[in-house]
């Protein structure tokens, strides 16, 4: 299967359309929780076509963002130009991103569920490493119940979230918001329809 044997080729193909796979508007959960996020320097991981990083820039954040698809990065740059904001886009996968200690006031990880449990543990450690004390982390992804819906996600149970996973992974954090819920999602053709979601906003000690 191309999805697993050559994920970069698969995502480049998915992003190749003139349309934006996940739309141009920011993730709804992140937009709703903007007041909880610490202003300053932000990082948007696995940022895709830029909808979240560009929106953060319009909200006054200084934004870094990365995605491993050059096709996505090119579209993200166009989106930033259209909104007349600057985002420091980098074409990188997460293991090769230049993680620096305590660099960001806010880190956003929205629907990055390509990571299996072993990779996810290492990636979560990177997020904690790069977040400043007092900084905020916002994560949204599909919950375990998403397996019964056809509205998006990896289709791999172990890659999905539950509240216990997020609380244990960021056990030293103050929980600012944590919820498991069903919602009709309308984020482009990539995320469309009733979805089982988990949202988390935590503040690093």
């Amino acid at each position: 299967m191309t999805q697993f044997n050559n994920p970069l080729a698969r995502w480049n193909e998915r992003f190749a359309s003139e349309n934006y796979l996940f739309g141009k508007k920011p993730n709804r959960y992140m937009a709703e929780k903007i007041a909880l996020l610490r202003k300053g320097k932000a990082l948007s991981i696995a940022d895709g076509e830029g909808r979240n990083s560009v929106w953060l820039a319009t909200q006054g954040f200084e934004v870094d963002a990365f995605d491993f698809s050059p096709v996505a990065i090119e579209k993200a740059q166009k989106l930033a130009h259209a909104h007349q904001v600057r985002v420091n886009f980098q074409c990188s996968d997460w293991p090769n991103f230049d993680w620096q200690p305590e660099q960001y006031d806010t880190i956003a990880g929205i629907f990055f569920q390509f990571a299996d449990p072993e990779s996810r543990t290492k990636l979560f450690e990177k997020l904690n490493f790069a977040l400043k004390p007092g900084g905020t982390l916002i994560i949204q992804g599909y919950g375990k119940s998403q397996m019964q819906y056809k509205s998006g996600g990896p289709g791999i149970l172990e890659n999905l979230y539950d509240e216990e996973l997020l609380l244990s992974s960021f056990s030293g954090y103050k929980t600012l918001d944590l919820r498991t819920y069903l919602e009709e999602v309308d984020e482009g053709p990539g995320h469309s329809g009733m979805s089982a979601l988990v949202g988390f906003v935590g503040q690093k000690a």
Side-chain angles (χ1 to χ4, degrees):
M1 295 175 62
T2 304
Q3 177 179 358
F4 301 107
N5 294 339
N6 194 339
L8 177 57
R10 175 178 177 268
W11 280 104
N12 280 338
E13 182 179 350
R14 293 190 75 191
F15 288 134
S17 168
E18 288 188 13
N19 295 322
Y20 279 66
L21 181 62
F22 301 112
K24 296 181 180 180
K25 296 180 180 179
N27 170 257
R28 181 175 178 178
Y29 180 73
M30 185 173 71
E32 290 177 348
K33 300 304 173 188
I34 185 65
L36 298 179
L37 305 183
R38 180 175 171 180
K39 286 293 183 71
K41 190 169 185 179
L43 172 67
S44 182
I45 72 166
D47 187 58
E49 300 157 307
R51 66 190 179 105
N52 294 315
S53 60
V54 168
W55 184 79
L56 286 168
T58 70
Q59 302 303 301
F61 287 85
E62 177 189 350
V63 187
D64 290 346
F66 69 82
D67 196 274
F68 78 155
S69 167
V71 177
I73 293 291
E74 183 177 353
K75 292 173 76 174
Q77 290 170 334
K78 290 178 180 178
L79 189 63
H81 180 75
H83 283 271
Q84 298 182 321
V85 294
R86 183 186 178 279
V87 176
N88 177 29
F89 294 111
Q90 299 180 44
C91 189
S92 176
D93 58 10
W94 72 265
N96 292 302
F97 180 70
D98 184 21
W99 300 97
Q100 296 292 321
E102 299 181 356
Q103 187 174 18
Y104 295 104
D105 298 285
T106 284
I107 297 178
I110 308 296
F111 293 116
F112 59 95
Q113 289 172 294
F114 53 81
D116 61 27
E118 182 179 357
S119 296
R120 183 175 62 213
T121 296
K122 295 176 182 177
L123 177 52
F124 280 178
E125 290 172 352
K126 295 287 190 183
L127 303 184
N128 180 64
F129 174 74
L131 191 63
K132 295 177 181 178
T136 47
L137 172 67
I138 181 166
I139 291 176
Q140 186 178 48
Y142 290 112
K144 302 290 188 182
S145 299
Q146 181 64 14
M147 294 298 291
Q148 63 186 286
Y149 299 99
K150 303 297 183 183
S151 52
I156 304 170
L157 182 62
E158 64 181 8
N159 289 24
L160 302 177
Y161 298 155
D162 57 30
E163 293 185 10
E164 181 181 356
L165 169 69
L166 295 172
L167 288 173
S168 61
S169 297
F170 302 100
S171 59
Y173 283 50
K174 178 182 180 182
T175 301
L176 304 182
D177 190 73
L178 179 63
R179 61 183 62 188
T180 299
Y181 58 107
L182 293 176
E183 184 172 85
E184 190 80 22
V185 172
D186 182 16
E187 297 183 346
H191 291 159
S192 181
M194 186 59 68
S195 302
L197 303 172
V198 178
F200 171 72
V201 183
Q203 184 175 35
K204 186 177 177 179

